[in-house]
Amino acid sequence: MARGKFITFEGIDGAGKTTHLAWFRERLEQHIAAGGRSVVMTREPGGTALGESLREILLHQKMDLETEALLMFAARREHLAQVIEPALARGDWVLSDRFSDATFAYQGGGRGLPRDKLEALERWVQGGFQPDLTLLFDVAPDTASERRSSAREPDRFESESDAFFTRTRAEYLRRAEEAPYRFAIIDSSQSIPHIQKRLEELISTL
């Protein structure tokens, strides 16, 4: 069976991507079912037992910025080795809530870690591996802030300022401009039916 495809969902906290994940997975499964393939749904940080343990640390414990970035990539290496690469090799498709674009956006854009350090880690951990398609759910930081305020108790990323998320969003958009062949930008200020129609169109091209 041919190698599977890797699709990622990205966006600042409050952009609305999580709202569409389960729906997208269901539609994607219908799209590829005839080929006998499955969809593996996962997330970052997380996706493995080690990754989930690191997720709890990353979301709730203060740490040095470089420690934070190193832990993100450590969790990613395990995720690739244990989940993503084996699934793709057996022909399944992988749908992940965040991947390395999030690290560039949050630790790079938001927190200010120099891009060359992140690029060195990305080359070491991933080689040239990147998603086949990245769906970037884009929304103004003030809109995202309103959405986050009505959600659960925020973690230490969700508690950041609008200025932080403005920088994070800008880095996401820079990454999308740098790699337009794999990014699709979704205007998540629009209604759910409108967004789902756009996602249906993207699925039909896969």
Side-chain angles (χ1 to χ4, degrees), residues 14 17 29 32 58 67 76 81 84 92-93 101 107 116 128 135 137 144 147 150-151 158 187 190 194 199 202:
K17 62 182 175 56
E29 285 176 334
I32 67 174
L58 285 159
T67 302
R76 183 163 300 127
I84 298 172
D92 290 336
W93 290 35
D101 294 304
Q107 283 69 52
D116 60 343
L135 303 177
F137 288 75
R147 293 175 178 177
S150 62
E158 294 167 336
D187 179 358
Q190 296 179 323
H194 191 101
L199 295 176
L202 289 168

PDB file of all heavy atoms in Angstrom, residues 14 17 29 32 58 67 76 81 84 92-93 101 107 116 128 135 137 144 147 150-151 158 187 190 194 199 202:
ATOM      1  N   GLY A  14      -7.787  29.506  20.775  1.00  0.00           N
ATOM      2  CA  GLY A  14      -9.008  30.260  20.553  1.00  0.00           C
ATOM      3  C   GLY A  14      -9.350  30.454  19.089  1.00  0.00           C
ATOM      4  O   GLY A  14     -10.378  31.057  18.770  1.00  0.00           O
ATOM      5  N   LYS A  17      -9.793  25.680  15.901  1.00  0.00           N
ATOM      6  CA  LYS A  17      -9.426  24.461  15.176  1.00  0.00           C
ATOM      7  C   LYS A  17      -9.980  23.200  15.838  1.00  0.00           C
ATOM      8  O   LYS A  17     -10.410  22.276  15.145  1.00  0.00           O
ATOM      9  CB  LYS A  17      -7.907  24.354  15.028  1.00  0.00           C
ATOM     10  CG  LYS A  17      -7.145  24.254  16.319  1.00  0.00           C
ATOM     11  CD  LYS A  17      -5.644  24.192  16.085  1.00  0.00           C
ATOM     12  CE  LYS A  17      -4.904  24.216  17.401  1.00  0.00           C
ATOM     13  NZ  LYS A  17      -5.308  23.146  18.344  1.00  0.00           N
ATOM     14  N   GLU A  29     -12.131  10.051   6.875  1.00  0.00           N
ATOM     15  CA  GLU A  29     -12.276   8.592   6.882  1.00  0.00           C
ATOM     16  C   GLU A  29     -13.193   8.130   5.752  1.00  0.00           C
ATOM     17  O   GLU A  29     -12.930   7.123   5.101  1.00  0.00           O
ATOM     18  CB  GLU A  29     -12.811   8.131   8.237  1.00  0.00           C
ATOM     19  CG  GLU A  29     -11.762   8.165   9.338  1.00  0.00           C
ATOM     20  CD  GLU A  29     -12.325   7.789  10.697  1.00  0.00           C
ATOM     21  OE1 GLU A  29     -13.555   7.975  10.909  1.00  0.00           O
ATOM     22  OE2 GLU A  29     -11.545   7.321  11.548  1.00  0.00           O
ATOM     23  N   ILE A  32     -11.262   8.298   2.341  1.00  0.00           N
ATOM     24  CA  ILE A  32     -10.197   7.320   2.055  1.00  0.00           C
ATOM     25  C   ILE A  32     -10.619   5.880   2.305  1.00  0.00           C
ATOM     26  O   ILE A  32      -9.839   4.956   2.074  1.00  0.00           O
ATOM     27  CB  ILE A  32      -8.922   7.634   2.861  1.00  0.00           C
ATOM     28  CG1 ILE A  32      -9.166   7.437   4.371  1.00  0.00           C
ATOM     29  CG2 ILE A  32      -8.432   9.045   2.574  1.00  0.00           C
ATOM     30  CD1 ILE A  32      -7.909   7.595   5.208  1.00  0.00           C
ATOM     31  N   LEU A  58       4.842  20.796  30.234  1.00  0.00           N
ATOM     32  CA  LEU A  58       4.927  21.977  29.380  1.00  0.00           C
ATOM     33  C   LEU A  58       3.767  22.953  29.590  1.00  0.00           C
ATOM     34  O   LEU A  58       3.945  24.169  29.542  1.00  0.00           O
ATOM     35  CB  LEU A  58       4.986  21.551  27.908  1.00  0.00           C
ATOM     36  CG  LEU A  58       6.332  20.987  27.452  1.00  0.00           C
ATOM     37  CD1 LEU A  58       6.160  20.135  26.200  1.00  0.00           C
ATOM     38  CD2 LEU A  58       7.323  22.128  27.200  1.00  0.00           C
ATOM     39  N   THR A  67      14.663  25.315  27.466  1.00  0.00           N
ATOM     40  CA  THR A  67      14.178  24.032  27.994  1.00  0.00           C
ATOM     41  C   THR A  67      12.829  23.692  27.377  1.00  0.00           C
ATOM     42  O   THR A  67      12.579  22.556  26.971  1.00  0.00           O
ATOM     43  CB  THR A  67      14.056  24.108  29.527  1.00  0.00           C
ATOM     44  OG1 THR A  67      15.314  24.438  30.090  1.00  0.00           O
ATOM     45  CG2 THR A  67      13.571  22.776  30.093  1.00  0.00           C
ATOM     46  N   ARG A  76       8.294  15.484  20.219  1.00  0.00           N
ATOM     47  CA  ARG A  76       8.036  15.303  18.777  1.00  0.00           C
ATOM     48  C   ARG A  76       8.835  14.119  18.207  1.00  0.00           C
ATOM     49  O   ARG A  76       8.337  13.366  17.366  1.00  0.00           O
ATOM     50  CB  ARG A  76       8.382  16.601  18.043  1.00  0.00           C
ATOM     51  CG  ARG A  76       8.094  16.559  16.535  1.00  0.00           C
ATOM     52  CD  ARG A  76       8.054  17.973  15.982  1.00  0.00           C
ATOM     53  NE  ARG A  76       7.006  18.720  16.646  1.00  0.00           N
ATOM     54  CZ  ARG A  76       7.182  19.903  17.246  1.00  0.00           C
ATOM     55  NH1 ARG A  76       8.367  20.484  17.239  1.00  0.00           N
ATOM     56  NH2 ARG A  76       6.172  20.496  17.833  1.00  0.00           N
ATOM     57  N   ALA A  81       8.635   8.730  15.927  1.00  0.00           N
ATOM     58  CA  ALA A  81       9.152   7.359  15.935  1.00  0.00           C
ATOM     59  C   ALA A  81       8.089   6.329  16.299  1.00  0.00           C
ATOM     60  O   ALA A  81       8.061   5.228  15.729  1.00  0.00           O
ATOM     61  CB  ALA A  81      10.331   7.254  16.904  1.00  0.00           C
ATOM     62  N   ILE A  84       3.664   8.546  14.226  1.00  0.00           N
ATOM     63  CA  ILE A  84       3.466   9.134  12.901  1.00  0.00           C
ATOM     64  C   ILE A  84       4.135   8.320  11.801  1.00  0.00           C
ATOM     65  O   ILE A  84       3.482   7.932  10.822  1.00  0.00           O
ATOM     66  CB  ILE A  84       3.966  10.595  12.879  1.00  0.00           C
ATOM     67  CG1 ILE A  84       3.153  11.430  13.864  1.00  0.00           C
ATOM     68  CG2 ILE A  84       3.869  11.175  11.468  1.00  0.00           C
ATOM     69  CD1 ILE A  84       3.687  12.845  14.071  1.00  0.00           C
ATOM     70  N   ASP A  92      -1.692   4.303   6.454  1.00  0.00           N
ATOM     71  CA  ASP A  92      -2.728   5.084   7.122  1.00  0.00           C
ATOM     72  C   ASP A  92      -2.429   6.579   6.989  1.00  0.00           C
ATOM     73  O   ASP A  92      -1.311   6.977   6.693  1.00  0.00           O
ATOM     74  CB  ASP A  92      -2.806   4.699   8.604  1.00  0.00           C
ATOM     75  CG  ASP A  92      -3.378   3.302   8.801  1.00  0.00           C
ATOM     76  OD1 ASP A  92      -4.115   2.828   7.916  1.00  0.00           O
ATOM     77  OD2 ASP A  92      -3.093   2.685   9.845  1.00  0.00           O
ATOM     78  N   TRP A  93      -3.442   7.377   7.228  1.00  0.00           N
ATOM     79  CA  TRP A  93      -3.282   8.829   7.220  1.00  0.00           C
ATOM     80  C   TRP A  93      -3.227   9.301   8.671  1.00  0.00           C
ATOM     81  O   TRP A  93      -3.878   8.713   9.549  1.00  0.00           O
ATOM     82  CB  TRP A  93      -4.441   9.503   6.489  1.00  0.00           C
ATOM     83  CG  TRP A  93      -4.428   9.272   5.002  1.00  0.00           C
ATOM     84  CD1 TRP A  93      -4.028   8.151   4.344  1.00  0.00           C
ATOM     85  CD2 TRP A  93      -4.851  10.193   3.993  1.00  0.00           C
ATOM     86  NE1 TRP A  93      -4.177   8.303   2.988  1.00  0.00           N
ATOM     87  CE2 TRP A  93      -4.681   9.554   2.740  1.00  0.00           C
ATOM     88  CE3 TRP A  93      -5.357  11.484   4.016  1.00  0.00           C
ATOM     89  CZ2 TRP A  93      -4.995  10.173   1.529  1.00  0.00           C
ATOM     90  CZ3 TRP A  93      -5.683  12.106   2.814  1.00  0.00           C
ATOM     91  CH2 TRP A  93      -5.492  11.453   1.593  1.00  0.00           C
ATOM     92  N   ASP A 101       5.122  23.573  13.249  1.00  0.00           N
ATOM     93  CA  ASP A 101       4.760  24.975  13.004  1.00  0.00           C
ATOM     94  C   ASP A 101       4.367  25.658  14.311  1.00  0.00           C
ATOM     95  O   ASP A 101       4.627  26.855  14.487  1.00  0.00           O
ATOM     96  CB  ASP A 101       3.611  25.067  12.004  1.00  0.00           C
ATOM     97  CG  ASP A 101       4.009  24.581  10.623  1.00  0.00           C
ATOM     98  OD1 ASP A 101       4.985  25.113  10.056  1.00  0.00           O
ATOM     99  OD2 ASP A 101       3.359  23.647  10.114  1.00  0.00           O
ATOM    100  N   GLN A 107       7.078  29.234  20.573  1.00  0.00           N
ATOM    101  CA  GLN A 107       8.392  29.463  21.195  1.00  0.00           C
ATOM    102  C   GLN A 107       9.206  30.493  20.403  1.00  0.00           C
ATOM    103  O   GLN A 107       9.973  31.243  20.983  1.00  0.00           O
ATOM    104  CB  GLN A 107       9.163  28.146  21.323  1.00  0.00           C
ATOM    105  CG  GLN A 107       8.710  27.253  22.463  1.00  0.00           C
ATOM    106  CD  GLN A 107       7.346  26.644  22.271  1.00  0.00           C
ATOM    107  OE1 GLN A 107       7.077  26.032  21.219  1.00  0.00           O
ATOM    108  NE2 GLN A 107       6.461  26.794  23.246  1.00  0.00           N
ATOM    109  N   ASP A 116      16.981  30.508  14.171  1.00  0.00           N
ATOM    110  CA  ASP A 116      18.031  29.570  13.764  1.00  0.00           C
ATOM    111  C   ASP A 116      18.159  28.405  14.737  1.00  0.00           C
ATOM    112  O   ASP A 116      18.497  27.288  14.329  1.00  0.00           O
ATOM    113  CB  ASP A 116      19.375  30.285  13.583  1.00  0.00           C
ATOM    114  CG  ASP A 116      19.873  30.970  14.848  1.00  0.00           C
ATOM    115  OD1 ASP A 116      19.073  31.185  15.783  1.00  0.00           O
ATOM    116  OD2 ASP A 116      21.080  31.293  14.897  1.00  0.00           O
ATOM    117  N   GLY A 128      13.992  16.360   6.742  1.00  0.00           N
ATOM    118  CA  GLY A 128      13.195  17.216   5.864  1.00  0.00           C
ATOM    119  C   GLY A 128      11.707  16.938   5.962  1.00  0.00           C
ATOM    120  O   GLY A 128      10.928  17.433   5.148  1.00  0.00           O
ATOM    121  N   LEU A 135      -3.525  22.892   7.836  1.00  0.00           N
ATOM    122  CA  LEU A 135      -4.684  23.773   7.873  1.00  0.00           C
ATOM    123  C   LEU A 135      -4.462  24.788   8.987  1.00  0.00           C
ATOM    124  O   LEU A 135      -4.441  24.432  10.173  1.00  0.00           O
ATOM    125  CB  LEU A 135      -5.964  22.975   8.130  1.00  0.00           C
ATOM    126  CG  LEU A 135      -6.248  21.850   7.116  1.00  0.00           C
ATOM    127  CD1 LEU A 135      -7.494  21.090   7.506  1.00  0.00           C
ATOM    128  CD2 LEU A 135      -6.383  22.415   5.722  1.00  0.00           C
ATOM    129  N   PHE A 137      -5.858  27.689  11.014  1.00  0.00           N
ATOM    130  CA  PHE A 137      -7.077  28.393  11.398  1.00  0.00           C
ATOM    131  C   PHE A 137      -6.674  29.765  11.917  1.00  0.00           C
ATOM    132  O   PHE A 137      -6.045  29.896  12.970  1.00  0.00           O
ATOM    133  CB  PHE A 137      -7.846  27.589  12.457  1.00  0.00           C
ATOM    134  CG  PHE A 137      -8.489  26.360  11.895  1.00  0.00           C
ATOM    135  CD1 PHE A 137      -7.731  25.241  11.587  1.00  0.00           C
ATOM    136  CD2 PHE A 137      -9.852  26.333  11.633  1.00  0.00           C
ATOM    137  CE1 PHE A 137      -8.317  24.103  11.046  1.00  0.00           C
ATOM    138  CE2 PHE A 137     -10.453  25.202  11.095  1.00  0.00           C
ATOM    139  CZ  PHE A 137      -9.683  24.085  10.795  1.00  0.00           C
ATOM    140  N   ALA A 144      -9.928  35.591  19.386  1.00  0.00           N
ATOM    141  CA  ALA A 144      -9.471  34.369  20.041  1.00  0.00           C
ATOM    142  C   ALA A 144      -9.514  34.521  21.557  1.00  0.00           C
ATOM    143  O   ALA A 144      -9.871  33.582  22.279  1.00  0.00           O
ATOM    144  CB  ALA A 144      -8.049  34.033  19.585  1.00  0.00           C
ATOM    145  N   ARG A 147     -12.968  33.988  22.886  1.00  0.00           N
ATOM    146  CA  ARG A 147     -13.319  32.569  22.887  1.00  0.00           C
ATOM    147  C   ARG A 147     -12.648  31.839  24.041  1.00  0.00           C
ATOM    148  O   ARG A 147     -13.268  30.999  24.691  1.00  0.00           O
ATOM    149  CB  ARG A 147     -12.923  31.935  21.548  1.00  0.00           C
ATOM    150  CG  ARG A 147     -13.713  32.443  20.360  1.00  0.00           C
ATOM    151  CD  ARG A 147     -13.170  31.866  19.060  1.00  0.00           C
ATOM    152  NE  ARG A 147     -13.935  32.297  17.909  1.00  0.00           N
ATOM    153  CZ  ARG A 147     -13.621  31.976  16.649  1.00  0.00           C
ATOM    154  NH1 ARG A 147     -12.540  31.245  16.400  1.00  0.00           N
ATOM    155  NH2 ARG A 147     -14.369  32.395  15.655  1.00  0.00           N
ATOM    156  N   SER A 150     -14.203  32.039  27.647  1.00  0.00           N
ATOM    157  CA  SER A 150     -15.393  31.255  27.973  1.00  0.00           C
ATOM    158  C   SER A 150     -15.093  29.765  28.071  1.00  0.00           C
ATOM    159  O   SER A 150     -15.998  28.951  28.276  1.00  0.00           O
ATOM    160  CB  SER A 150     -16.479  31.477  26.913  1.00  0.00           C
ATOM    161  OG  SER A 150     -16.028  31.038  25.640  1.00  0.00           O
ATOM    162  N   ALA A 151     -13.828  29.401  27.938  1.00  0.00           N
ATOM    163  CA  ALA A 151     -13.435  27.990  27.981  1.00  0.00           C
ATOM    164  C   ALA A 151     -13.049  27.597  29.407  1.00  0.00           C
ATOM    165  O   ALA A 151     -13.290  28.313  30.367  1.00  0.00           O
ATOM    166  CB  ALA A 151     -12.277  27.749  27.015  1.00  0.00           C
ATOM    167  N   GLU A 158      -2.412  29.491  27.231  1.00  0.00           N
ATOM    168  CA  GLU A 158      -3.704  30.157  27.033  1.00  0.00           C
ATOM    169  C   GLU A 158      -3.830  31.433  27.860  1.00  0.00           C
ATOM    170  O   GLU A 158      -4.636  32.311  27.539  1.00  0.00           O
ATOM    171  CB  GLU A 158      -4.833  29.193  27.394  1.00  0.00           C
ATOM    172  CG  GLU A 158      -4.939  28.002  26.462  1.00  0.00           C
ATOM    173  CD  GLU A 158      -5.829  26.892  26.991  1.00  0.00           C
ATOM    174  OE1 GLU A 158      -6.013  26.802  28.222  1.00  0.00           O
ATOM    175  OE2 GLU A 158      -6.326  26.090  26.173  1.00  0.00           O
ATOM    176  N   ASP A 187     -10.167  31.064   7.330  1.00  0.00           N
ATOM    177  CA  ASP A 187     -10.648  32.233   8.073  1.00  0.00           C
ATOM    178  C   ASP A 187     -11.637  31.738   9.127  1.00  0.00           C
ATOM    179  O   ASP A 187     -12.811  31.524   8.837  1.00  0.00           O
ATOM    180  CB  ASP A 187     -11.310  33.220   7.112  1.00  0.00           C
ATOM    181  CG  ASP A 187     -11.848  34.455   7.839  1.00  0.00           C
ATOM    182  OD1 ASP A 187     -11.736  34.519   9.083  1.00  0.00           O
ATOM    183  OD2 ASP A 187     -12.384  35.352   7.162  1.00  0.00           O
ATOM    184  N   GLN A 190     -15.333  33.041  10.406  1.00  0.00           N
ATOM    185  CA  GLN A 190     -16.567  32.747   9.690  1.00  0.00           C
ATOM    186  C   GLN A 190     -17.401  31.701  10.439  1.00  0.00           C
ATOM    187  O   GLN A 190     -16.951  31.098  11.414  1.00  0.00           O
ATOM    188  CB  GLN A 190     -16.233  32.263   8.286  1.00  0.00           C
ATOM    189  CG  GLN A 190     -15.532  33.326   7.443  1.00  0.00           C
ATOM    190  CD  GLN A 190     -15.187  32.831   6.060  1.00  0.00           C
ATOM    191  OE1 GLN A 190     -14.826  31.681   5.880  1.00  0.00           O
ATOM    192  NE2 GLN A 190     -15.261  33.713   5.079  1.00  0.00           N
ATOM    193  N   HIS A 194     -19.770  27.553   7.040  1.00  0.00           N
ATOM    194  CA  HIS A 194     -18.911  28.107   5.994  1.00  0.00           C
ATOM    195  C   HIS A 194     -17.526  27.471   6.052  1.00  0.00           C
ATOM    196  O   HIS A 194     -16.951  27.111   5.021  1.00  0.00           O
ATOM    197  CB  HIS A 194     -18.797  29.623   6.159  1.00  0.00           C
ATOM    198  CG  HIS A 194     -18.154  30.307   4.993  1.00  0.00           C
ATOM    199  ND1 HIS A 194     -18.867  30.977   4.023  1.00  0.00           N
ATOM    200  CD2 HIS A 194     -16.851  30.398   4.612  1.00  0.00           C
ATOM    201  CE1 HIS A 194     -18.039  31.458   3.113  1.00  0.00           C
ATOM    202  NE2 HIS A 194     -16.805  31.127   3.445  1.00  0.00           N
ATOM    203  N   LEU A 199     -13.500  23.160   4.258  1.00  0.00           N
ATOM    204  CA  LEU A 199     -12.766  21.935   4.586  1.00  0.00           C
ATOM    205  C   LEU A 199     -13.172  20.791   3.669  1.00  0.00           C
ATOM    206  O   LEU A 199     -12.322  19.976   3.263  1.00  0.00           O
ATOM    207  CB  LEU A 199     -13.011  21.556   6.045  1.00  0.00           C
ATOM    208  CG  LEU A 199     -12.479  22.541   7.094  1.00  0.00           C
ATOM    209  CD1 LEU A 199     -12.870  22.091   8.500  1.00  0.00           C
ATOM    210  CD2 LEU A 199     -10.967  22.705   6.988  1.00  0.00           C
ATOM    211  N   LEU A 202     -11.252  21.095   0.516  1.00  0.00           N
ATOM    212  CA  LEU A 202      -9.864  20.670   0.658  1.00  0.00           C
ATOM    213  C   LEU A 202      -9.751  19.157   0.686  1.00  0.00           C
ATOM    214  O   LEU A 202      -8.843  18.571   0.070  1.00  0.00           O
ATOM    215  CB  LEU A 202      -9.268  21.267   1.942  1.00  0.00           C
ATOM    216  CG  LEU A 202      -9.017  22.774   1.893  1.00  0.00           C
ATOM    217  CD1 LEU A 202      -8.719  23.306   3.288  1.00  0.00           C
ATOM    218  CD2 LEU A 202      -7.867  23.082   0.952  1.00  0.00           C
TER     219      LEU A 202
END
